[in-house]
Amino acid sequence: MSHGPALAPDAPGAPDAPAVRRPSAVGASRRTGWVMVLTGTVGWLASFQLTVDDWRLLRDPAYQPPCNISPVVSCGSVMSSSQGSLFGFPNMLLGLGAFAAVTALGVAVLSGARLHRRLWLALTAGALAGWCSSTG
């Protein structure tokens, strides 16, 4: 069944070609997936340990967390300060959720998922915000 003569795209009277949409999903390599899984898992474990240390510090103010390396590098004083609870709850709880999300996304990338570009941008913005809040 014919639908009429085919016109070349630049021929006079030819219909405009439909706009080509860029794919909104972006693939990543398996290496990226493994890095996300490994760093997400290590970050989650560190956040969990800091959460346990924070609870111990709340029970016993004399408790010395193992992350107190020196008088200059000390996490116990930060945990008990206002900087340790940015949104009214311990910052380590943010880390538990954020690192679990990174690990889950890493597993998705390893399984071949192509994540939406906005998700990659949100992941990058979250990593930047976490880095800025921990170094600031």
Side-chain angles (χ1 to χ4, degrees):
M1 172 188 246
S2 175
H3 295 287
L7 295 175
D10 35 333
D16 290 333
V20 178
R21 293 188 61 186
R22 274 186 359 185
S24 58
V26 180
S29 68
R30 290 187 59 77
R31 179 182 293 172
T32 301
W34 278 115
V35 167
M36 289 173 70
V37 168
L38 293 174
T39 57
T41 302
V42 169
W44 189 89
L45 290 171
S47 292
F48 181 77
Q49 181 62 47
L50 285 171
T51 302
V52 170
D53 288 341
D54 189 41
W55 287 336
R56 288 181 180 164
L57 192 60
L58 287 173
R59 278 194 208 153
D60 180 15
Y63 175 72
Q64 292 296 317
C67 55
N68 284 349
I69 299 172
S70 70
V72 176
V73 179
S74 169
C75 66
S77 60
V78 174
M79 281 192 278
S80 59
S81 73
S82 63
Q83 293 173 340
S85 299
L86 189 60
F87 296 110
F89 55 89
N91 292 344
M92 293 75 72
L93 298 179
L94 290 172
L96 287 173
F99 286 118
V102 169
T103 304
L105 291 173
V107 170
V109 167
L110 283 175
S111 69
R114 294 176 51 88
L115 305 178
H116 195 277
R117 184 172 185 272
R118 289 183 184 162
L119 187 57
W120 286 111
L121 292 173
L123 186 63
T124 303
L128 181 62
W131 180 77
C132 288
S133 70
S134 68
T135 59

